[in-house]
Amino acid sequence: MPSYSHTVAGTAYRFDGLRDLLARATPARSGDVLAGIAAGSDTERVAAQWALADLPLREFLNEAVIPYEADEVTRLIVDSHDGASFQAVGHLTVGGFRDWLLGDDADEAALAQLAPGLTPEMAAAVSKIMRVQDLILVARKCRVVTRFRNTIGLAGRLSTRLQPNHPTDDPAGIAASILDGLLLGSGDAVIGINPASDSVPAVLALLRLVDEIIREYRIPTQSCVLTHVTTTLEAIRRGAPVDLVFQSIAGTEDANRSFGVGLALLAEAREAALGLGRGTLGDDVMYFETGQGSALSAGAHHGVDQQTCEARAYAVARAFRPLLVNTVVGFIGPEYLLNGKQIIRAGLEDHFCGKLLGLPMGCDVCYTNHAEADQDDMDSLLTQLAVAGCTYVMGVPGSDDIMLNYQSTSFHDALYARAVLGLRPAPEFEAWLQAMGLFDSAGRLARGTSLPPSFAAAIARLG
């Protein structure tokens, strides 16, 4: 195994292999401290970042952070690497790659062509030597467009997942939250429910509920019940109206196994969803969620830092052409991202790495109630992500998820981000909002108009 070194202020620092170098170069976060792999001081971190900046990108093709024979995610990364696409940057060091990404030659077309030639470790490495503004600038230049019943990821657009969770899966409570979100322009990415119960009958009931709402109001969007992939497969076998297949994924085979999934199962689920043919504009049928710390929390990180593990999860997602991917950035807790500063940095890193690798990245801008963070931190991250061209964010009633017990972004937060940056929903969804009299021609909430009769009737039924 090669070693790497750099001297700072007269002290030589040595790093044993690529895995150790990546871990020590990572900006401070509590998860890597918990794992015992973080830099021991700011000086050591700087030394590792210097050594990493001097490392040729080609080294990532010669040394795996998790052995090829021991991990199917590593095998996926190696076997799917596009050497021809990589040639554009193959002569660069990590530091030189950073400079190239920030330059004018790295435009939307060049970055799209490059994406298949990048490994997750390359993306993670360059993110570790970037400032916040660098992460924002480069991610903004990446454009990833996906389609199912509408078009997500276009320039000048910010979509939202309408998240109408309920602690008992009460249909009236869920329907009320969906109606609330629609009235405030939320739901173009997906109407996605985290079920309180993972039983097949409960999931079937939720799928039919949302499908009925989408069909009754002819909403150009898609639904998803965020249950385990095996439950969704069984729902498909029973004739359920499944639009998107959801699964949480991670960056190592062992971590995915702890979720009860592997690459073969994900491929089976994708084929089953494609067989339903429910998309009208496209056939991107997968929805993945990730989060820094998931591999460590499962004891399945193999000594790899949590941010690099997170980037490796994007290789899994990329293999299945997803409609949506989002990092649930602050959900796992302060053991992995201690405070607002760490959550903000991690969210921007994840968004950058995902977009650079060719994914339609969204972010659940969130934190748990025992983290050293508050809604001001989330406002900062939301604004920075919107500037960076984030594909979508969450829309949660009041920003407080009463089923999952964490803090996220509200329907009004998305309206704020759209207003301050001149962003609009997906075009087909925006046209529907205007046709329903909910938005005006400028893409803003319509004022002084009466509620559409169909929605008024729905409110009366719920009341």
Side-chain angles (χ1 to χ4, degrees), residues 92-115:
L92 298 174
T93 63
V94 174
F97 184 39
R98 171 187 175 274
D99 292 342
W100 182 84
L101 287 171
L102 295 172
D104 293 337
D105 288 342
D107 57 14
E108 180 180 326
L111 290 170
Q113 186 174 6
L114 175 64

Side-chain angles (χ1 to χ4, degrees), residues 15 17-29 32 37-53 55 60 94 124-130 305 307-308 345 349:
F15 309 100
L18 190 54
R19 181 171 56 192
D20 184 44
L21 177 63
L22 288 167
R24 305 288 173 174
T26 305
R29 62 209 53 196
D32 292 336
I37 59 176
S41 66
D42 290 338
T43 305
E44 183 185 21
R45 182 174 297 108
V46 168
Q49 290 172 341
W50 273 109
L52 185 60
L55 187 71
F60 292 92
V94 174
V126 74
S127 76
K128 294 175 192 295
I129 62 169
M130 284 182 150
D305 68 272
Q307 193 251 333
T308 301
R345 171 80 196 191
E349 289 170 348

Side-chain angles (χ1 to χ4, degrees), residues 48-279:
Q49 290 172 341
W50 273 109
L52 185 60
D54 289 339
L55 187 71
L57 280 179
R58 289 191 178 277
E59 285 299 308
F60 292 92
L61 303 179
N62 300 325
E63 183 183 349
V65 295
I66 302 174
Y68 181 92
E69 62 277 7
D71 184 85
E72 71 171 358
V73 177
T74 298
R75 293 193 289 275
L76 172 66
I77 292 168
V78 173
D79 295 346
S80 63
H81 180 252
D82 187 333
S85 297
F86 177 66
Q87 290 303 314
V89 297
H91 61 290
L92 298 174
T93 63
V94 174
F97 184 39
R98 171 187 175 274
D99 292 342
W100 182 84
L101 287 171
L102 295 172
D104 293 337
D105 288 342
D107 57 14
E108 180 180 326
L111 290 170
Q113 186 174 6
L114 175 64
L118 295 179
T119 69
E121 291 85 356
M122 293 175 191
V126 74
S127 76
K128 294 175 192 295
I129 62 169
M130 284 182 150
R131 295 169 58 185
V132 161
Q133 64 175 247
D134 301 339
L135 299 171
I136 292 172
L137 173 62
V138 177
R140 185 176 178 83
K141 294 194 287 185
C142 298
R143 184 65 48 201
V144 183
V145 177
T146 57
R147 294 177 176 87
F148 188 76
R149 290 200 190 99
N150 57 25
T151 307
I152 299 170
L154 295 170
R157 306 281 174 170
L158 175 65
S159 294
T160 58
R161 169 188 160 189
L162 201 171
Q163 184 170 305
N165 297 344
H166 192 279
T168 63
D169 288 340
D170 176 65
I174 289 172
S177 292
I178 292 174
L179 179 59
D180 186 22
L182 292 172
L183 292 172
L184 292 169
S186 184
D188 52 336
V190 64
I191 301 175
I193 305 169
N194 296 92
S197 169
D198 220 21
S199 72
V200 175
V203 169
L204 287 170
L206 292 176
L207 286 166
R208 290 166 180 153
L209 169 67
V210 186
D211 182 61
E212 181 180 350
I213 292 172
I214 288 175
R215 287 189 293 106
E216 179 175 351
Y217 299 111
R218 298 182 176 86
I219 309 170
T221 190
Q222 37 283 328
S223 69
C224 186
V225 175
L226 283 71
T227 186
H228 193 270
V229 63
T230 53
T231 306
T232 301
L233 274 169
E234 180 58 30
I236 291 173
R237 295 187 188 104
R238 297 189 189 188
V242 172
D243 291 341
L244 306 183
V245 174
F246 166 81
Q247 184 56 48
S248 294
I249 56 173
T252 73
E253 179 180 353
D254 288 343
N256 283 324
R257 189 180 295 119
S258 77
F259 291 155
V261 300
L263 300 181
L265 179 59
L266 295 175
E268 178 188 351
R270 180 173 182 269
E271 289 305 309
L274 287 172
L276 299 178
R278 291 175 59 83

